[in-house]
Amino acid sequence: MQEIKFHGRGGQGVVTASQMLGLAYFKGGMYPQCYSLFGGERRGAPVVSFLRVDQKKILLKCEIKNPNQLIIFDASLVDPDEIRKQVVPGTKILINTSKMSDVIERLRDFTVGIIDASCIAENLRLGHVINTTILGAYCRLFESLSVNKVIEAVMEMVPAKKSENAKAVIEGNNRVTLIKGRR
Amino acid sequence: MKKFITGNHAVAEAVRLCRTQIVAAYPITPQTPIYEKLSDWEAAGELGGIMMRTESEHSAMAACLSASLAGVRAFTATSSQGLALMHEMLHFASGCRAPVVMACVNRTLAAPWAFWSDQTDSLSQRDTGWIQIYCEDNQEVFDSVIQAFRIAEGVLLPCMVVLEANYISHFMEPIEVPEQEQTDRFLPPVKIPERFDVDNPSFVAPVVSQVQFEAFRHLSYEAMSNALDVIEEVDRDFGDHFGRNYGLVEAVGLDGAELALVTTATITSTARVALAGLREKGHRVGLVKIRVFRPFPTRILREILEPVPRVAVLERNLSLGREGIFCSELKAALVNSEKPHHVQGYLAGMGGTNVDPDLIERVVIDALSRERVSDEPIWMMEKK
């Protein structure tokens, strides 16, 4: 079973990202289960969302404590020590950032995908909503889902700028940098 | 067809498929997405029935009750404070034998203020004369709403379908949504007494004498007792139509079990995973899910638990000064058994805290190894 955790901030489309990814897996014949945790919904506040994916019905009705896939929309939310405590060995991590930083250096034992989603989304006039770019990068890093399935889900769920969002998926997929884990 | 939707949207889908004629409601977290979805459909001309946006939950139930007395299929949804505000009208609906259907999304009652799952809101309405069905996942919620209309209209009592905040209301999962024609074949057009006649105005709830009141209560009591058979019959027929059914209670792996873990709602679903692990390790434990709480399925629970010496009840609610409410109800159901049982109550998940297979395993190990049963519930608290 894949257990995916999304970290980000209100306004970046974190919750919708988890739902669109769930829908993409659903369209691919899988059984997804998606939920989010947020208190007072406000822009900029930390938001986490979760997605389980399996081939058969998921019976668990509890929180994901130890994800095996991690998607980080904002590098300032990353604490490598905290991540190390949470994730299971072999976890891959996707991070939205514009530069190689000390944080990423400290996560070098994991396979990491780096994508400058904020820049791509901005250029496509999508503002702070980077979720579709992130999902494009996701397909390349995790290799468990085709880009076309993600685009299909994006087309069904985004309320506006459909063609820009489809482009964002493709751009994200093309421009993600993969760094193999050291162990 | 299969859809990937939240528990709240599953409720809305079912309400629309049931050709509900009036939805009277007031928004409250975490129920609001039900209200919003139905409103969206009404605005797009896709609902079929009409929405009444009332000024409070008390008025919402008054509207549903009145519509039902006029022979109309009526639905509302609420949570927590909203349900508490409805309380007076809940008695009124059952007393008038109005088959209103409600979705109650379990949420903590203030204070303190919170938004998460806790069954105390719906269980506080235990004595209002409503049928109550507790669901463990999105599919069961969807199916139970469709069943609820047939049950309520069959016995002329209102019916509450209960789903938990977050773990169902906001969890997205795939569910099977049937075609309209298939639903129509299971649920015929509404046919309940039309007690309002515009041409011959009269009063439907007059003042009665002591003796008359007692007679009405006895009739309601008989209807509620009869509901046990009707719920089973509707559930069986649902199985014939859709290939899924649930029963009043469900027993898993009780043969030769030394311990029965009794659960409700979403804890049941997670417990199915924990149970498989525990049995692999050689623990003789079975699972009993209580789905229908009112009317309480006393006879069937006594029968299935008869050969099991130990019982552990794990639940997400509390009657202050006593214990978990399902535990009290179960003890009362077992008190006239031939052989005495050891029933230990456990409280977990209060306020929506996490109940995972590890926690459930700890409960089972404790219940199996415990030398003396405590009358007090055991709190399985999250550290904070």
Side-chain angles (χ1 to χ4, degrees):
Chain A
M1 181 162 55
Q2 301 172 55
E3 294 197 302
I4 311 164
K5 186 172 182 184
F6 300 72
H7 275 282
R9 295 187 181 278
Q12 292 183 303
V14 178
V15 172
T16 314
S18 61
Q19 294 176 347
M20 287 191 292
L21 191 59
L23 183 62
Y25 274 114
F26 175 64
K27 287 174 178 295
M30 301 291 277
Y31 189 105
Q33 180 200 63
C34 176
Y35 71 98
S36 311
L37 290 181
F38 40 92
E41 294 83 346
R42 36 189 212 285
R43 288 185 181 248
V47 174
V48 277
S49 200
F50 300 88
L51 176 65
R52 287 188 176 98
V53 182
D54 206 350
Q55 273 152 343
K56 54 181 197 305
K57 179 169 177 163
I58 295 166
L59 294 171
L60 294 171
K61 288 281 189 181
C62 55
E63 292 169 18
I64 293 176
K65 286 276 174 70
N66 305 113
N68 48 31
Q69 300 182 9
L70 205 54
I71 302 174
I72 294 158
F73 280 56
D74 184 332
S76 72
L77 293 167
V78 179
D79 174 350
D81 297 333
E82 193 53 44
I83 285 181
R84 224 168 280 282
K85 266 189 252 163
Q86 276 184 26
V87 301
V88 300
T91 297
K92 290 183 188 175
I93 305 170
L94 178 62
I95 304 175
N96 167 41
T97 182
S98 60
K99 56 182 186 296
M100 280 295 290
S101 64
D102 171 51
V103 166
I104 294 164
E105 201 45 51
R106 284 168 63 201
L107 290 170
R108 282 299 308 278
D109 49 328
F110 296 98
T111 293
V112 176
I114 296 169
I115 179 79
D116 191 355
S118 299
C119 171
I120 295 170
E122 189 68 45
N123 288 341
L124 288 166
R125 299 183 187 284
L126 291 168
H128 296 297
V129 186
I130 60 169
N131 52 13
T132 44
T133 313
I134 290 274
L135 292 187
Y138 174 91
C139 294
R140 171 67 62 82
L141 176 61
F142 293 97
E143 298 178 310
S144 51
L145 193 63
S146 76
V147 178
N148 286 343
K149 277 278 173 287
V150 168
I151 291 178
E152 223 181 290
V154 165
M155 287 304 174
E156 195 172 314
M157 281 192 69
V158 293
K161 299 190 181 173
K162 285 187 193 285
S163 66
E164 288 89 337
N165 277 296
K167 270 186 211 149
V169 175
I170 293 163
E171 286 272 295
N173 192 256
N174 288 339
R175 288 171 56 180
V176 63
T177 307
L178 306 186
I179 306 172
K180 276 251 176 270
R182 277 191 186 135
R183 50 161 203 230
Chain B
M1 67 182 296
K2 273 219 179 324
K3 291 191 177 182
F4 177 54
I5 53 176
T6 63
N8 276 335
H9 286 178
V11 169
E13 289 276 2
V15 168
R16 179 167 69 162
L17 276 171
C18 288
R19 299 187 185 277
T20 307
Q21 291 156 293
I22 188 161
V23 177
Y26 187 85
I28 181 169
T29 303
Q31 167 277 134
T32 307
I34 301 175
Y35 178 99
E36 288 173 337
K37 193 54 147 178
L38 293 166
S39 279
D40 284 349
W41 284 333
E42 193 202 30
E46 295 167 3
L47 181 60
I50 55 166
M51 295 273 301
M52 262 184 88
R53 294 165 182 83
T54 52
E55 73 281 14
S56 75
E57 288 86 353
H58 189 279
S59 302
M61 184 47 61
C64 284
L65 159 61
S66 308
S68 186
L69 291 175
V72 164
R73 188 169 282 163
F75 172 83
T76 191
T78 193
S79 292
S80 180
Q81 315 298 125
L83 185 65
L85 184 60
M86 248 183 213
H87 175 76
E88 179 195 3
M89 284 291 120
L90 296 182
H91 282 281
F92 230 110
S94 71
C96 285
R97 306 289 301 275
V100 177
V101 169
M102 175 201 308
C104 171
V105 184
N106 280 140
R107 168 188 156 183
T108 50
L109 277 160
W113 201 251
F115 306 102
W116 309 102
S117 180
D118 189 308
Q119 298 171 310
T120 311
D121 58 351
S122 56
L123 291 169
S124 295
Q125 310 306 326
R126 184 188 67 175
D127 301 332
T128 55
W130 280 62
I131 294 164
Q132 289 196 359
I133 301 173
Y134 287 78
C135 303
E136 72 174 88
D137 61 26
N138 297 15
Q139 185 73 58
E140 188 179 10
V141 167
F142 175 86
D143 293 345
S144 297
V145 169
I146 297 175
Q147 291 189 5
F149 282 105
R150 242 183 76 175
I151 294 164
E153 290 164 16
V155 296
L156 293 180
L157 281 173
C159 183
M160 194 183 292
V161 176
V162 186
L163 55 149
E164 288 179 72
N166 187 36
Y167 297 110
I168 291 184
S169 70
H170 285 67
F171 264 45
M172 283 177 91
E173 290 179 343
I175 68 160
E176 188 65 45
V177 178
E179 297 299 321
Q180 183 66 59
E181 298 72 41
Q182 203 186 352
T183 314
D184 289 344
R185 280 196 293 275
F186 172 77
L187 181 70
V190 63
K191 198 174 165 218
I192 52 178
E194 291 174 33
R195 285 174 276 181
F196 283 136
D197 179 352
V198 180
D199 297 325
N200 297 293
S202 62
F203 195 50
V204 293
V207 175
V208 295
S209 70
Q210 299 93 319
V211 172
Q212 285 171 319
F213 190 90
E214 189 173 55
F216 276 115
R217 292 299 278 168
H218 188 249
L219 286 169
S220 292
Y221 170 82
E222 285 184 330
M224 189 56 105
S225 304
N226 178 40
L228 280 170
D229 288 339
V230 173
I231 294 167
E232 281 197 298
E233 185 190 306
V234 167
D235 187 52
R236 263 196 303 272
D237 196 41
F238 189 91
D240 292 342
H241 277 78
F242 302 101
R244 297 179 299 274
N245 64 331
Y246 303 95
L248 298 164
V249 304
E250 182 190 343
V252 183
L254 278 192
D255 281 348
E258 192 186 334
L259 172 77
L261 175 68
V262 177
T263 58
T264 66
T266 62
I267 292 179
T268 309
S269 191
T270 308
R272 293 179 195 275
V273 178
L275 191 78
L278 283 158
R279 289 171 70 90
E280 245 170 54
K281 289 180 193 163
H283 296 293
R284 285 159 58 206
V285 54
L287 179 66
V288 174
K289 163 189 175 179
I290 301 180
R291 175 171 180 255
V292 175
F293 175 71
R294 275 294 177 275
F296 198 74
T298 303
R299 184 187 54 78
I300 185 165
L301 278 168
R302 197 184 296 159
E303 274 172 20
I304 60 174
L305 290 173
E306 204 267 323
V308 188
R310 289 167 185 251
V311 177
V313 185
L314 174 60
E315 57 191 316
R316 199 194 288 276
N317 66 78
L318 170 65
S319 173
L320 276 178
R322 189 75 182 111
E323 60 190 340
I325 294 162
F326 281 92
C327 187
S328 291
E329 293 274 340
L330 186 68
K331 283 176 178 174
L334 295 178
V335 77
N336 291 330
S337 300
E338 294 292 325
K339 280 184 286 182
H341 289 272
H342 289 289
V343 181
Q344 178 64 58
Y346 295 86
L347 300 178
M350 206 76 66
T353 51
N354 195 38
V355 179
D356 59 18
D358 288 351
L359 184 149
I360 295 170
E361 196 171 315
R362 291 205 305 279
V363 167
V364 167
I365 305 270
D366 181 85
L368 281 168
S369 57
R370 173 167 287 277
E371 281 176 19
R372 290 190 55 190
V373 171
S374 163
D375 288 326
E376 302 290 324
I378 294 167
W379 285 71
M380 309 294 293
M381 285 178 81
E382 276 209 352
K383 284 178 232 107
K384 254 288 155 339

